[in-house]
Amino acid sequence: RTVAAKRHIISIRNHIKEIVTKSYAAYRKDVKRETIDCVVMFIPNEGALQLMRDIEPSLWYEAYDQKVIITSELSLFSLLKMIENYWAQVIQQRNQDKIIKAAENMLERLASLYEMVDDVEKAFKNVENKFENVKSKMLTGRQSIATSARQVIESGVKSSKIEKRFSDDDTLIIENENN
C-alpha cells in the first residue's frame, strides 16, 4: 500500500511537471498573452486527492506556486462558479466601459451641436441686423427712398400706386399687386 501511495504521489508530481511545461496560452489564438494565470489539474477521485494531502500535504502548495491548481469534484464546482462570477464582472466592466465611451462621444457631439446652434443664431442675428439696415434705408430712415419718394410726391409728381402706399405716419406700405 505504501508503494502504491508513493507511485500515486510520483504520478501527480509528473503530471504537474507536464502541465507546467506545456504552453497553454499558445492554444488561444485570440489572446495576446504569453502565459495563462493558472491551470486547473482535475483529479476525478476525491479519495485520490485526499490521499495526496495525507501523504504529501505540501504538494498542493508546490503545484500552486507553479500556477497549477489541483482540484477534485467537490472543489471544482466551487472554482468554476468563482470563474463564472469573475467573467460576469469582466463582461459587466466591458459593458460599462462601452457605455461610458458612448456617453463621452454623445457629450462631445452635443457640445459640437451647441456650437453649431450658436453659430446659426449669430448668423440669424447678423441677417436680421442687415435686414433692419436695408429696411431703414428703404422705408424709415431720414435718407430712405420712401422719404425721398414722399418729398417727390409732395412736390407734385403724381403716381397712384405710390400715393396709396403711404400710411398715416408717412411710412411706405409695401403691398402685393393683388391688394
Side-chain angles (χ1 to χ4, degrees), residues 19-67:
I19 289 171
V20 169
T21 59
K22 285 190 177 184
S23 177
Y24 284 103
Y27 294 108
R28 297 283 315 269
K29 302 294 184 206
D30 59 330
V31 177
K32 295 180 174 100
R33 293 170 49 176
E34 296 290 322
T35 63
I36 293 179
D37 293 337
C38 65
V39 176
V40 177
M41 181 178 142
F42 178 66
I43 297 178
N45 184 311
E46 192 68 37
L49 179 61
Q50 190 58 46
L51 179 63
M52 179 204 77
R53 287 184 182 154
D54 291 343
I55 296 173
E56 195 75 38
S58 64
L59 187 55
W60 191 94
Y61 295 102
E62 290 172 26
Y64 183 79
D65 289 342
Q66 297 178 65
K67 299 181 179 182

mmCIF file of all heavy atoms in Angstrom, residues 19-67:
data_model
loop_
_atom_site.group_PDB
_atom_site.id
_atom_site.type_symbol
_atom_site.label_atom_id
_atom_site.label_comp_id
_atom_site.label_asym_id
_atom_site.label_seq_id
_atom_site.Cartn_x
_atom_site.Cartn_y
_atom_site.Cartn_z
ATOM 1 N N ILE A 19 2.199 19.599 -16.976
ATOM 2 C CA ILE A 19 1.315 20.761 -17.142
ATOM 3 C C ILE A 19 2.130 22.051 -17.203
ATOM 4 O O ILE A 19 1.887 22.918 -18.039
ATOM 5 C CB ILE A 19 0.276 20.823 -15.994
ATOM 6 C CG1 ILE A 19 -0.751 19.701 -16.164
ATOM 7 C CG2 ILE A 19 -0.411 22.179 -15.948
ATOM 8 C CD1 ILE A 19 -1.686 19.546 -14.987
ATOM 9 N N VAL A 20 3.123 22.171 -16.309
ATOM 10 C CA VAL A 20 3.940 23.390 -16.240
ATOM 11 C C VAL A 20 4.714 23.607 -17.534
ATOM 12 O O VAL A 20 4.881 24.740 -17.991
ATOM 13 C CB VAL A 20 4.883 23.344 -15.013
ATOM 14 C CG1 VAL A 20 5.906 24.452 -15.060
ATOM 15 C CG2 VAL A 20 4.074 23.406 -13.723
ATOM 16 N N THR A 21 5.161 22.541 -18.149
ATOM 17 C CA THR A 21 5.983 22.686 -19.357
ATOM 18 C C THR A 21 5.169 22.959 -20.619
ATOM 19 O O THR A 21 5.729 23.402 -21.615
ATOM 20 C CB THR A 21 6.843 21.427 -19.596
ATOM 21 O OG1 THR A 21 5.990 20.295 -19.728
ATOM 22 C CG2 THR A 21 7.833 21.225 -18.464
ATOM 23 N N LYS A 22 3.870 22.712 -20.575
ATOM 24 C CA LYS A 22 3.036 22.975 -21.745
ATOM 25 C C LYS A 22 2.744 24.475 -21.831
ATOM 26 O O LYS A 22 2.585 25.145 -20.829
ATOM 27 C CB LYS A 22 1.713 22.210 -21.660
ATOM 28 C CG LYS A 22 1.876 20.752 -21.951
ATOM 29 C CD LYS A 22 0.523 20.103 -22.089
ATOM 30 C CE LYS A 22 0.709 18.640 -22.455
ATOM 31 N NZ LYS A 22 -0.561 17.993 -22.692
ATOM 32 N N SER A 23 2.621 24.954 -23.056
ATOM 33 C CA SER A 23 2.297 26.365 -23.291
ATOM 34 C C SER A 23 0.814 26.455 -23.669
ATOM 35 O O SER A 23 0.460 26.518 -24.838
ATOM 36 C CB SER A 23 3.172 26.923 -24.401
ATOM 37 O OG SER A 23 2.804 28.250 -24.666
ATOM 38 N N TYR A 24 -0.037 26.472 -22.677
ATOM 39 C CA TYR A 24 -1.473 26.510 -22.938
ATOM 40 C C TYR A 24 -1.903 27.814 -23.585
ATOM 41 O O TYR A 24 -2.899 27.866 -24.295
ATOM 42 C CB TYR A 24 -2.260 26.268 -21.651
ATOM 43 C CG TYR A 24 -2.252 24.810 -21.242
ATOM 44 C CD1 TYR A 24 -1.424 24.370 -20.212
ATOM 45 C CD2 TYR A 24 -3.054 23.891 -21.880
ATOM 46 C CE1 TYR A 24 -1.409 23.039 -19.838
ATOM 47 C CE2 TYR A 24 -3.048 22.549 -21.515
ATOM 48 C CZ TYR A 24 -2.214 22.133 -20.489
ATOM 49 O OH TYR A 24 -2.202 20.822 -20.131
ATOM 50 N N ALA A 25 -1.165 28.898 -23.358
ATOM 51 C CA ALA A 25 -1.507 30.182 -23.978
ATOM 52 C C ALA A 25 -1.413 30.099 -25.501
ATOM 53 O O ALA A 25 -2.125 30.808 -26.205
ATOM 54 C CB ALA A 25 -0.598 31.285 -23.450
ATOM 55 N N ALA A 26 -0.554 29.222 -26.018
ATOM 56 C CA ALA A 26 -0.399 29.082 -27.468
ATOM 57 C C ALA A 26 -1.660 28.522 -28.121
ATOM 58 O O ALA A 26 -1.890 28.730 -29.308
ATOM 59 C CB ALA A 26 0.798 28.179 -27.778
ATOM 60 N N TYR A 27 -2.488 27.825 -27.368
ATOM 61 C CA TYR A 27 -3.726 27.269 -27.908
ATOM 62 C C TYR A 27 -4.789 28.344 -28.141
ATOM 63 O O TYR A 27 -5.746 28.120 -28.843
ATOM 64 C CB TYR A 27 -4.292 26.186 -26.988
ATOM 65 C CG TYR A 27 -3.397 24.970 -26.899
ATOM 66 C CD1 TYR A 27 -2.678 24.703 -25.746
ATOM 67 C CD2 TYR A 27 -3.275 24.089 -27.967
ATOM 68 C CE1 TYR A 27 -1.858 23.587 -25.648
ATOM 69 C CE2 TYR A 27 -2.458 22.973 -27.891
ATOM 70 C CZ TYR A 27 -1.747 22.732 -26.722
ATOM 71 O OH TYR A 27 -0.942 21.637 -26.637
ATOM 72 N N ARG A 28 -4.619 29.483 -27.495
ATOM 73 C CA ARG A 28 -5.580 30.583 -27.629
ATOM 74 C C ARG A 28 -5.040 31.604 -28.619
ATOM 75 O O ARG A 28 -4.197 32.406 -28.297
ATOM 76 C CB ARG A 28 -5.810 31.270 -26.278
ATOM 77 C CG ARG A 28 -6.426 30.419 -25.197
ATOM 78 C CD ARG A 28 -7.933 30.221 -25.389
ATOM 79 N NE ARG A 28 -8.670 31.396 -25.718
ATOM 80 C CZ ARG A 28 -9.236 32.217 -24.844
ATOM 81 N NH1 ARG A 28 -9.128 31.998 -23.562
ATOM 82 N NH2 ARG A 28 -9.921 33.261 -25.255
ATOM 83 N N LYS A 29 -5.507 31.569 -29.832
ATOM 84 C CA LYS A 29 -5.026 32.465 -30.882
ATOM 85 C C LYS A 29 -5.497 33.906 -30.655
ATOM 86 O O LYS A 29 -4.837 34.840 -31.067
ATOM 87 C CB LYS A 29 -5.520 31.991 -32.248
ATOM 88 C CG LYS A 29 -5.097 30.579 -32.591
ATOM 89 C CD LYS A 29 -3.612 30.468 -32.767
ATOM 90 C CE LYS A 29 -3.262 29.060 -33.209
ATOM 91 N NZ LYS A 29 -1.957 28.634 -32.869
ATOM 92 N N ASP A 30 -6.656 34.069 -30.022
ATOM 93 C CA ASP A 30 -7.208 35.404 -29.838
ATOM 94 C C ASP A 30 -6.629 36.140 -28.634
ATOM 95 O O ASP A 30 -6.864 37.317 -28.455
ATOM 96 C CB ASP A 30 -8.735 35.332 -29.702
ATOM 97 C CG ASP A 30 -9.171 34.475 -28.532
ATOM 98 O OD1 ASP A 30 -8.454 33.527 -28.184
ATOM 99 O OD2 ASP A 30 -10.256 34.756 -27.976
ATOM 100 N N VAL A 31 -5.840 35.460 -27.815
ATOM 101 C CA VAL A 31 -5.268 36.075 -26.616
ATOM 102 C C VAL A 31 -3.863 36.558 -26.946
ATOM 103 O O VAL A 31 -3.061 35.825 -27.509
ATOM 104 C CB VAL A 31 -5.241 35.066 -25.442
ATOM 105 C CG1 VAL A 31 -4.580 35.682 -24.223
ATOM 106 C CG2 VAL A 31 -6.649 34.618 -25.113
ATOM 107 N N LYS A 32 -3.575 37.778 -26.578
ATOM 108 C CA LYS A 32 -2.263 38.347 -26.876
ATOM 109 C C LYS A 32 -1.342 38.243 -25.673
ATOM 110 O O LYS A 32 -0.518 39.098 -25.437
ATOM 111 C CB LYS A 32 -2.437 39.800 -27.285
ATOM 112 C CG LYS A 32 -3.192 39.958 -28.572
ATOM 113 C CD LYS A 32 -3.354 41.397 -28.948
ATOM 114 C CE LYS A 32 -3.969 41.525 -30.302
ATOM 115 N NZ LYS A 32 -5.332 41.804 -30.352
ATOM 116 N N ARG A 33 -1.497 37.194 -24.918
ATOM 117 C CA ARG A 33 -0.680 36.999 -23.720
ATOM 118 C C ARG A 33 0.256 35.827 -23.941
ATOM 119 O O ARG A 33 -0.055 34.894 -24.648
ATOM 120 C CB ARG A 33 -1.587 36.721 -22.519
ATOM 121 C CG ARG A 33 -2.433 37.928 -22.156
ATOM 122 C CD ARG A 33 -3.487 37.621 -21.149
ATOM 123 N NE ARG A 33 -2.981 36.899 -20.003
ATOM 124 C CZ ARG A 33 -3.710 36.581 -18.966
ATOM 125 N NH1 ARG A 33 -4.955 36.931 -18.914
ATOM 126 N NH2 ARG A 33 -3.196 35.915 -17.969
ATOM 127 N N GLU A 34 1.395 35.890 -23.279
ATOM 128 C CA GLU A 34 2.378 34.820 -23.377
ATOM 129 C C GLU A 34 2.056 33.670 -22.415
ATOM 130 O O GLU A 34 2.436 32.542 -22.647
ATOM 131 C CB GLU A 34 3.782 35.363 -23.053
ATOM 132 C CG GLU A 34 4.270 36.399 -24.056
ATOM 133 C CD GLU A 34 4.585 35.786 -25.400
ATOM 134 O OE1 GLU A 34 5.108 34.676 -25.439
ATOM 135 O OE2 GLU A 34 4.310 36.442 -26.423
ATOM 136 N N THR A 35 1.395 33.999 -21.315
ATOM 137 C CA THR A 35 1.115 32.980 -20.301
ATOM 138 C C THR A 35 -0.349 33.023 -19.903
ATOM 139 O O THR A 35 -1.053 33.977 -20.167
ATOM 140 C CB THR A 35 1.972 33.209 -19.030
ATOM 141 O OG1 THR A 35 1.602 34.468 -18.456
ATOM 142 C CG2 THR A 35 3.453 33.200 -19.337
ATOM 143 N N ILE A 36 -0.749 31.969 -19.208
ATOM 144 C CA ILE A 36 -2.081 31.902 -18.615
ATOM 145 C C ILE A 36 -1.870 31.965 -17.107
ATOM 146 O O ILE A 36 -0.878 31.445 -16.586
ATOM 147 C CB ILE A 36 -2.800 30.598 -19.037
ATOM 148 C CG1 ILE A 36 -3.087 30.655 -20.541
ATOM 149 C CG2 ILE A 36 -4.060 30.381 -18.248
ATOM 150 C CD1 ILE A 36 -3.773 29.436 -21.093
ATOM 151 N N ASP A 37 -2.794 32.614 -16.409
ATOM 152 C CA ASP A 37 -2.626 32.816 -14.967
ATOM 153 C C ASP A 37 -2.441 31.510 -14.208
ATOM 154 O O ASP A 37 -1.595 31.416 -13.328
ATOM 155 C CB ASP A 37 -3.819 33.582 -14.394
ATOM 156 C CG ASP A 37 -3.877 35.005 -14.923
ATOM 157 O OD1 ASP A 37 -2.843 35.529 -15.345
ATOM 158 O OD2 ASP A 37 -4.976 35.586 -14.907
ATOM 159 N N CYS A 38 -3.239 30.526 -14.534
ATOM 160 C CA CYS A 38 -3.104 29.228 -13.863
ATOM 161 C C CYS A 38 -3.778 28.147 -14.694
ATOM 162 O O CYS A 38 -4.532 28.435 -15.605
ATOM 163 C CB CYS A 38 -3.698 29.277 -12.457
ATOM 164 S SG CYS A 38 -5.467 29.533 -12.448
ATOM 165 N N VAL A 39 -3.458 26.905 -14.342
ATOM 166 C CA VAL A 39 -4.057 25.746 -14.998
ATOM 167 C C VAL A 39 -4.693 24.901 -13.907
ATOM 168 O O VAL A 39 -4.122 24.727 -12.833
ATOM 169 C CB VAL A 39 -2.995 24.922 -15.764
ATOM 170 C CG1 VAL A 39 -3.598 23.664 -16.356
ATOM 171 C CG2 VAL A 39 -2.336 25.757 -16.840
ATOM 172 N N VAL A 40 -5.882 24.405 -14.179
ATOM 173 C CA VAL A 40 -6.575 23.558 -13.214
ATOM 174 C C VAL A 40 -6.264 22.096 -13.540
ATOM 175 O O VAL A 40 -6.468 21.644 -14.661
ATOM 176 C CB VAL A 40 -8.097 23.798 -13.253
ATOM 177 C CG1 VAL A 40 -8.815 22.858 -12.299
ATOM 178 C CG2 VAL A 40 -8.420 25.255 -12.925
ATOM 179 N N MET A 41 -5.761 21.395 -12.539
ATOM 180 C CA MET A 41 -5.484 19.961 -12.673
ATOM 181 C C MET A 41 -6.580 19.228 -11.906
ATOM 182 O O MET A 41 -6.679 19.338 -10.686
ATOM 183 C CB MET A 41 -4.109 19.623 -12.089
ATOM 184 C CG MET A 41 -3.741 18.167 -12.205
ATOM 185 S SD MET A 41 -2.088 17.910 -11.536
ATOM 186 C CE MET A 41 -2.324 16.340 -10.731
ATOM 187 N N PHE A 42 -7.399 18.499 -12.621
ATOM 188 C CA PHE A 42 -8.549 17.818 -12.019
ATOM 189 C C PHE A 42 -8.194 16.377 -11.687
ATOM 190 O O PHE A 42 -7.741 15.619 -12.548
ATOM 191 C CB PHE A 42 -9.727 17.876 -12.990
ATOM 192 C CG PHE A 42 -10.942 17.160 -12.509
ATOM 193 C CD1 PHE A 42 -11.646 17.596 -11.399
ATOM 194 C CD2 PHE A 42 -11.393 16.018 -13.177
ATOM 195 C CE1 PHE A 42 -12.779 16.931 -10.970
ATOM 196 C CE2 PHE A 42 -12.526 15.346 -12.752
ATOM 197 C CZ PHE A 42 -13.212 15.814 -11.642
ATOM 198 N N ILE A 43 -8.413 16.019 -10.439
ATOM 199 C CA ILE A 43 -8.281 14.623 -10.004
ATOM 200 C C ILE A 43 -9.703 14.129 -9.782
ATOM 201 O O ILE A 43 -10.398 14.595 -8.874
ATOM 202 C CB ILE A 43 -7.435 14.498 -8.722
ATOM 203 C CG1 ILE A 43 -6.012 14.982 -8.996
ATOM 204 C CG2 ILE A 43 -7.429 13.061 -8.208
ATOM 205 C CD1 ILE A 43 -5.087 14.963 -7.798
ATOM 206 N N PRO A 44 -10.185 13.204 -10.604
ATOM 207 C CA PRO A 44 -11.598 12.821 -10.584
ATOM 208 C C PRO A 44 -12.025 11.993 -9.378
ATOM 209 O O PRO A 44 -13.210 11.716 -9.220
ATOM 210 C CB PRO A 44 -11.777 12.039 -11.884
ATOM 211 C CG PRO A 44 -10.426 11.530 -12.209
ATOM 212 C CD PRO A 44 -9.450 12.521 -11.666
ATOM 213 N N ASN A 45 -11.099 11.633 -8.535
ATOM 214 C CA ASN A 45 -11.444 10.792 -7.390
ATOM 215 C C ASN A 45 -11.083 11.550 -6.114
ATOM 216 O O ASN A 45 -9.923 11.866 -5.880
ATOM 217 C CB ASN A 45 -10.660 9.477 -7.498
ATOM 218 C CG ASN A 45 -11.010 8.504 -6.409
ATOM 219 O OD1 ASN A 45 -11.036 8.848 -5.231
ATOM 220 N ND2 ASN A 45 -11.261 7.257 -6.809
ATOM 221 N N GLU A 46 -12.085 11.822 -5.304
ATOM 222 C CA GLU A 46 -11.866 12.583 -4.066
ATOM 223 C C GLU A 46 -10.892 11.858 -3.145
ATOM 224 O O GLU A 46 -10.050 12.486 -2.495
ATOM 225 C CB GLU A 46 -13.219 12.804 -3.352
ATOM 226 C CG GLU A 46 -13.168 13.816 -2.235
ATOM 227 C CD GLU A 46 -12.918 15.232 -2.720
ATOM 228 O OE1 GLU A 46 -13.424 15.631 -3.782
ATOM 229 O OE2 GLU A 46 -12.197 15.960 -2.007
ATOM 230 N N GLY A 47 -10.982 10.537 -3.103
ATOM 231 C CA GLY A 47 -10.082 9.740 -2.256
ATOM 232 C C GLY A 47 -8.627 9.877 -2.702
ATOM 233 O O GLY A 47 -7.714 9.933 -1.867
ATOM 234 N N ALA A 48 -8.386 9.947 -4.009
ATOM 235 C CA ALA A 48 -7.023 10.088 -4.525
ATOM 236 C C ALA A 48 -6.437 11.442 -4.127
ATOM 237 O O ALA A 48 -5.256 11.537 -3.769
ATOM 238 C CB ALA A 48 -7.019 9.928 -6.035
ATOM 239 N N LEU A 49 -7.264 12.492 -4.153
ATOM 240 C CA LEU A 49 -6.788 13.820 -3.735
ATOM 241 C C LEU A 49 -6.524 13.825 -2.229
ATOM 242 O O LEU A 49 -5.519 14.360 -1.763
ATOM 243 C CB LEU A 49 -7.805 14.905 -4.103
ATOM 244 C CG LEU A 49 -7.429 16.331 -3.698
ATOM 245 C CD1 LEU A 49 -6.143 16.777 -4.381
ATOM 246 C CD2 LEU A 49 -8.550 17.295 -4.017
ATOM 247 N N GLN A 50 -7.420 13.209 -1.472
ATOM 248 C CA GLN A 50 -7.231 13.158 -0.012
ATOM 249 C C GLN A 50 -5.972 12.375 0.358
ATOM 250 O O GLN A 50 -5.231 12.757 1.260
ATOM 251 C CB GLN A 50 -8.465 12.543 0.665
ATOM 252 C CG GLN A 50 -8.462 12.662 2.166
ATOM 253 C CD GLN A 50 -8.375 14.115 2.626
ATOM 254 O OE1 GLN A 50 -9.069 14.985 2.130
ATOM 255 N NE2 GLN A 50 -7.489 14.381 3.575
ATOM 256 N N LEU A 51 -5.717 11.307 -0.357
ATOM 257 C CA LEU A 51 -4.503 10.518 -0.124
ATOM 258 C C LEU A 51 -3.257 11.374 -0.378
ATOM 259 O O LEU A 51 -2.310 11.356 0.397
ATOM 260 C CB LEU A 51 -4.494 9.277 -1.024
ATOM 261 C CG LEU A 51 -3.274 8.361 -0.899
ATOM 262 C CD1 LEU A 51 -3.178 7.769 0.515
ATOM 263 C CD2 LEU A 51 -3.333 7.257 -1.948
ATOM 264 N N MET A 52 -3.277 12.156 -1.457
ATOM 265 C CA MET A 52 -2.159 13.051 -1.747
ATOM 266 C C MET A 52 -1.953 14.034 -0.593
ATOM 267 O O MET A 52 -0.840 14.272 -0.158
ATOM 268 C CB MET A 52 -2.409 13.834 -3.040
ATOM 269 C CG MET A 52 -1.292 14.808 -3.408
ATOM 270 S SD MET A 52 -1.838 16.179 -4.461
ATOM 271 C CE MET A 52 -2.672 17.233 -3.288
ATOM 272 N N ARG A 53 -3.041 14.611 -0.094
ATOM 273 C CA ARG A 53 -2.949 15.577 1.014
ATOM 274 C C ARG A 53 -2.424 14.923 2.289
ATOM 275 O O ARG A 53 -1.698 15.548 3.051
ATOM 276 C CB ARG A 53 -4.315 16.212 1.272
ATOM 277 C CG ARG A 53 -4.709 17.197 0.221
ATOM 278 C CD ARG A 53 -6.019 17.864 0.583
ATOM 279 N NE ARG A 53 -6.427 18.785 -0.471
ATOM 280 C CZ ARG A 53 -7.664 19.129 -0.704
ATOM 281 N NH1 ARG A 53 -8.644 18.636 0.041
ATOM 282 N NH2 ARG A 53 -7.942 19.955 -1.672
ATOM 283 N N ASP A 54 -2.825 13.684 2.517
ATOM 284 C CA ASP A 54 -2.358 12.986 3.732
ATOM 285 C C ASP A 54 -0.877 12.648 3.650
ATOM 286 O O ASP A 54 -0.133 12.825 4.619
ATOM 287 C CB ASP A 54 -3.159 11.688 3.947
ATOM 288 C CG ASP A 54 -4.604 11.958 4.339
ATOM 289 O OD1 ASP A 54 -4.905 13.111 4.757
ATOM 290 O OD2 ASP A 54 -5.435 11.036 4.212
ATOM 291 N N ILE A 55 -0.435 12.130 2.498
ATOM 292 C CA ILE A 55 0.948 11.677 2.361
ATOM 293 C C ILE A 55 1.900 12.854 2.125
ATOM 294 O O ILE A 55 2.980 12.916 2.701
ATOM 295 C CB ILE A 55 1.072 10.661 1.206
ATOM 296 C CG1 ILE A 55 0.269 9.413 1.531
ATOM 297 C CG2 ILE A 55 2.523 10.304 0.924
ATOM 298 C CD1 ILE A 55 0.182 8.434 0.394
ATOM 299 N N GLU A 56 1.505 13.781 1.263
ATOM 300 C CA GLU A 56 2.382 14.886 0.853
ATOM 301 C C GLU A 56 1.580 16.197 0.931
ATOM 302 O O GLU A 56 1.180 16.761 -0.086
ATOM 303 C CB GLU A 56 2.861 14.624 -0.581
ATOM 304 C CG GLU A 56 4.034 15.453 -1.032
ATOM 305 C CD GLU A 56 5.350 15.009 -0.446
ATOM 306 O OE1 GLU A 56 5.576 13.789 -0.310
ATOM 307 O OE2 GLU A 56 6.142 15.879 -0.103
ATOM 308 N N PRO A 57 1.306 16.727 2.136
ATOM 309 C CA PRO A 57 0.447 17.911 2.279
ATOM 310 C C PRO A 57 0.983 19.154 1.562
ATOM 311 O O PRO A 57 0.208 20.027 1.167
ATOM 312 C CB PRO A 57 0.381 18.140 3.789
ATOM 313 C CG PRO A 57 1.258 17.145 4.435
ATOM 314 C CD PRO A 57 1.796 16.223 3.400
ATOM 315 N N SER A 58 2.272 19.260 1.353
ATOM 316 C CA SER A 58 2.840 20.447 0.715
ATOM 317 C C SER A 58 2.732 20.407 -0.809
ATOM 318 O O SER A 58 2.983 21.418 -1.482
ATOM 319 C CB SER A 58 4.306 20.612 1.111
ATOM 320 O OG SER A 58 5.064 19.510 0.626
ATOM 321 N N LEU A 59 2.363 19.267 -1.378
ATOM 322 C CA LEU A 59 2.324 19.125 -2.837
ATOM 323 C C LEU A 59 1.307 20.080 -3.472
ATOM 324 O O LEU A 59 1.567 20.653 -4.523
ATOM 325 C CB LEU A 59 2.019 17.668 -3.220
ATOM 326 C CG LEU A 59 2.110 17.331 -4.709
ATOM 327 C CD1 LEU A 59 3.470 17.720 -5.270
ATOM 328 C CD2 LEU A 59 1.852 15.848 -4.917
ATOM 329 N N TRP A 60 0.186 20.271 -2.828
ATOM 330 C CA TRP A 60 -0.825 21.193 -3.366
ATOM 331 C C TRP A 60 -0.226 22.593 -3.470
ATOM 332 O O TRP A 60 -0.397 23.286 -4.483
ATOM 333 C CB TRP A 60 -2.069 21.208 -2.472
ATOM 334 C CG TRP A 60 -3.229 21.935 -3.128
ATOM 335 C CD1 TRP A 60 -4.222 21.357 -3.860
ATOM 336 C CD2 TRP A 60 -3.483 23.335 -3.122
ATOM 337 N NE1 TRP A 60 -5.089 22.324 -4.314
ATOM 338 C CE2 TRP A 60 -4.659 23.561 -3.871
ATOM 339 C CE3 TRP A 60 -2.856 24.434 -2.570
ATOM 340 C CZ2 TRP A 60 -5.212 24.814 -4.080
ATOM 341 C CZ3 TRP A 60 -3.394 25.705 -2.776
ATOM 342 C CH2 TRP A 60 -4.564 25.878 -3.526
ATOM 343 N N TYR A 61 0.505 23.055 -2.437
ATOM 344 C CA TYR A 61 1.114 24.393 -2.431
ATOM 345 C C TYR A 61 2.251 24.493 -3.443
ATOM 346 O O TYR A 61 2.434 25.537 -4.078
ATOM 347 C CB TYR A 61 1.609 24.752 -1.027
ATOM 348 C CG TYR A 61 0.464 24.876 -0.048
ATOM 349 C CD1 TYR A 61 0.192 23.850 0.851
ATOM 350 C CD2 TYR A 61 -0.351 25.990 -0.054
ATOM 351 C CE1 TYR A 61 -0.874 23.946 1.736
ATOM 352 C CE2 TYR A 61 -1.423 26.103 0.829
ATOM 353 C CZ TYR A 61 -1.684 25.077 1.728
ATOM 354 O OH TYR A 61 -2.736 25.174 2.584
ATOM 355 N N GLU A 62 3.017 23.397 -3.599
ATOM 356 C CA GLU A 62 4.077 23.377 -4.605
ATOM 357 C C GLU A 62 3.479 23.560 -5.999
ATOM 358 O O GLU A 62 4.003 24.311 -6.819
ATOM 359 C CB GLU A 62 4.861 22.060 -4.545
ATOM 360 C CG GLU A 62 5.727 21.899 -3.319
ATOM 361 C CD GLU A 62 6.331 20.500 -3.214
ATOM 362 O OE1 GLU A 62 6.497 19.824 -4.266
ATOM 363 O OE2 GLU A 62 6.627 20.077 -2.098
ATOM 364 N N ALA A 63 2.378 22.865 -6.244
ATOM 365 C CA ALA A 63 1.701 22.986 -7.539
ATOM 366 C C ALA A 63 1.161 24.407 -7.716
ATOM 367 O O ALA A 63 1.304 25.014 -8.786
ATOM 368 C CB ALA A 63 0.568 21.966 -7.638
ATOM 369 N N TYR A 64 0.588 24.930 -6.664
ATOM 370 C CA TYR A 64 0.025 26.288 -6.719
ATOM 371 C C TYR A 64 1.120 27.312 -7.023
ATOM 372 O O TYR A 64 0.899 28.246 -7.806
ATOM 373 C CB TYR A 64 -0.687 26.614 -5.400
ATOM 374 C CG TYR A 64 -1.348 27.975 -5.405
ATOM 375 C CD1 TYR A 64 -2.574 28.158 -6.037
ATOM 376 C CD2 TYR A 64 -0.746 29.066 -4.784
ATOM 377 C CE1 TYR A 64 -3.183 29.399 -6.051
ATOM 378 C CE2 TYR A 64 -1.347 30.308 -4.800
ATOM 379 C CZ TYR A 64 -2.563 30.474 -5.429
ATOM 380 O OH TYR A 64 -3.163 31.708 -5.449
ATOM 381 N N ASP A 65 2.286 27.155 -6.421
ATOM 382 C CA ASP A 65 3.412 28.059 -6.691
ATOM 383 C C ASP A 65 3.842 28.011 -8.156
ATOM 384 O O ASP A 65 4.419 28.968 -8.668
ATOM 385 C CB ASP A 65 4.607 27.720 -5.786
ATOM 386 C CG ASP A 65 4.359 28.101 -4.328
ATOM 387 O OD1 ASP A 65 3.439 28.927 -4.072
ATOM 388 O OD2 ASP A 65 5.076 27.576 -3.453
ATOM 389 N N GLN A 66 3.542 26.904 -8.821
ATOM 390 C CA GLN A 66 3.859 26.755 -10.247
ATOM 391 C C GLN A 66 2.640 27.067 -11.127
ATOM 392 O O GLN A 66 2.601 26.716 -12.303
ATOM 393 C CB GLN A 66 4.367 25.338 -10.518
ATOM 394 C CG GLN A 66 5.667 25.039 -9.792
ATOM 395 C CD GLN A 66 6.101 23.613 -10.049
ATOM 396 O OE1 GLN A 66 6.405 23.268 -11.194
ATOM 397 N NE2 GLN A 66 6.119 22.798 -9.010
ATOM 398 N N LYS A 67 1.620 27.692 -10.523
ATOM 399 C CA LYS A 67 0.385 28.112 -11.203
ATOM 400 C C LYS A 67 -0.466 26.931 -11.661
ATOM 401 O O LYS A 67 -1.122 26.980 -12.696
ATOM 402 C CB LYS A 67 0.697 29.047 -12.367
ATOM 403 C CG LYS A 67 1.389 30.327 -11.923
ATOM 404 C CD LYS A 67 1.648 31.230 -13.084
ATOM 405 C CE LYS A 67 2.319 32.503 -12.581
ATOM 406 N NZ LYS A 67 2.554 33.451 -13.646
#
